[in-house]
Amino acid sequence: MVKLKCYSPTFEEEYFNSVSEALNKCGLDKNQLIESCKVYLPPDFFKDGEDDLKTLILSSFSELKRAYKSMTIEATKDTMLKNCFDIIHDEKNEKDEYKAKPIYRKYMDLYPTLRDKQKDKKKMSVRMVEDLGVNVCPYCNRDYINCRGGKISGAQLDHFYPKDDFPFFAVSLYNLVPVCGNCNRVKSKQQGGLASPFDDLDFDGSLQISYTPIDEHSVKVIMTAKNGLQHNIQKMHIQEAYAINNIDIEELIYKSKAYSSAGIKELLSQYEELGLSETEIKKIVFGEKIEPSEFGIRPLSKLKSDILKELKIW
């Protein structure tokens, strides 16, 4: 998991203006939408003197999360369901089916239009990734999500709180997480207990990647997580995805033995004329020390950072 920063104020304003424009074009009554939302969202979700639509679109993830938690209270959830959905009883299967009411269906249908809206020949989803300054999926830290041209986004957008279940969050900016296709498919509609990359958590301190030896030449990747990240690791099968990355750890272990402190000192004595330091040799062999702020730029950077710490390289 990689923590995502907030979007820039410039991008937030651009996104909000795009939503407002799309609402006007589709003829959706935004006042009716907001009044419906006020029935079930926390009483202080909308602030006096502020633009209610802007609040719904640009609220921080912590505010969305607070609103979501209120939906776990049965009475609030029941109110939300009655306001957002037409409930149709399926007698054959003896269960209720929920169909979004027309105003919410129209609101949900704004999403693909917004995602694909172009500016300077770049889709909105491409501009989102660029504004966040990430190249790698924040869920797995394995797959690149950078664009392959203005019209071809490498990222999919995960509705952290699924729009089919929470239609009022369908185009809320901080409910949309740029991720790789694999993580988006595996996560699907899961939400309970998972952490969002926009969560206010110490991601680096809450997840540790280590290894355990299997035999003399191979190891197994081990992940230890807390503060909600353990649910991501388990439900999104992140550790299983990393099973093949044992070879990356094995390579680092091999290098740490080949270029031990004593081995580096021997190299320095043999090539004293080059004027290299021990730190410079380590950079050549292992690469630069990776800071948490760089985890969103390089794939497997969290794994490499943790293993090099465990090997006492950095």
Side-chain angles (χ1 to χ4, degrees), residues 45-274:
F45 184 84
F46 296 103
K47 309 296 190 294
D48 290 340
E50 295 185 6
D51 185 326
D52 291 337
L53 180 63
K54 182 170 280 191
T55 297
L56 182 62
I57 302 305
L58 297 183
S59 279
S60 66
F61 179 76
S62 62
E63 280 296 287
L64 302 185
K65 185 176 182 179
R66 184 171 70 91
Y68 165 77
K69 286 183 176 180
S70 76
M71 302 302 164
T72 63
I73 301 171
E74 197 60 36
T76 308
K77 181 179 180 181
D78 187 58
T79 302
M80 182 270 287
L81 292 175
K82 288 179 179 177
N83 272 269
C84 293
F85 300 94
D86 290 319
I87 305 173
I88 304 168
H89 184 67
D90 183 347
E91 294 185 1
K92 182 178 180 181
N93 296 308
E94 296 185 350
K95 65 177 183 179
D96 290 335
E97 294 183 351
Y98 296 86
K99 183 179 180 181
K101 291 186 175 181
I103 190 170
Y104 285 102
R105 172 51 59 189
K106 189 176 285 189
Y107 188 63
M108 292 162 64
D109 288 345
L110 295 178
Y111 166 68
T113 301
L114 289 166
R115 179 197 60 203
D116 297 336
K117 183 178 180 181
Q118 293 195 26
K119 178 183 177 182
D120 300 327
K121 298 182 179 180
K122 292 181 180 179
K123 292 169 58 175
M124 181 71 77
S125 54
V126 171
R127 302 199 304 278
M128 291 170 73
V129 171
E130 290 181 346
D131 192 76
L132 289 170
V134 293
N135 297 326
V136 185
C137 176
Y139 280 141
C140 68
N141 193 225
R142 295 174 79 245
D143 296 340
Y144 280 113
I145 59 171
N146 60 304
C147 69
R148 301 184 182 186
K151 296 182 181 180
I152 307 173
S153 175
Q156 295 183 12
L157 297 179
D158 167 47
H159 283 79
F160 186 79
Y161 297 123
K163 64 181 184 298
D164 288 338
D165 298 329
F166 305 94
F168 42 93
F169 288 155
V171 294
S172 293
L173 182 57
Y174 288 97
N175 190 42
L176 303 176
V177 184
V179 298
C180 69
N182 286 328
C183 282
N184 200 23
R185 283 188 292 272
V186 173
K187 178 181 174 292
S188 188
K189 291 187 177 184
Q190 298 184 78
Q191 74 262 351
L194 297 178
S196 165
F198 288 116
D199 252 312
D200 186 20
L201 296 174
D202 173 16
F203 286 86
D204 185 36
S206 298
L207 171 65
Q208 296 300 316
I209 302 178
S210 184
Y211 65 91
T212 185
I214 294 177
D215 54 42
E216 186 178 353
H217 302 291
S218 59
V219 301
K220 178 182 178 180
V221 182
I222 299 295
M223 291 186 173
T224 305
K226 58 184 180 180
N227 295 332
L229 295 190
Q230 68 270 24
H231 297 293
N232 292 58
I233 300 304
Q234 178 185 2
K235 294 182 179 181
M236 296 181 66
H237 305 284
I238 301 295
Q239 182 160 317
E240 290 90 331
Y242 270 73
I244 63 172
N245 295 117
N246 64 313
I247 58 175
D248 299 284
I249 297 177
E250 290 159 10
E251 181 181 359
L252 291 176
I253 294 172
Y254 171 79
K255 286 182 176 181
S256 71
K257 292 177 179 178
Y259 295 92
S260 63
S261 182
I264 289 177
K265 288 179 180 177
E266 184 178 343
L267 276 175
L268 292 173
S269 64
Q270 290 178 1
Y271 300 99
E272 188 175 354
E273 68 277 7
L274 295 178

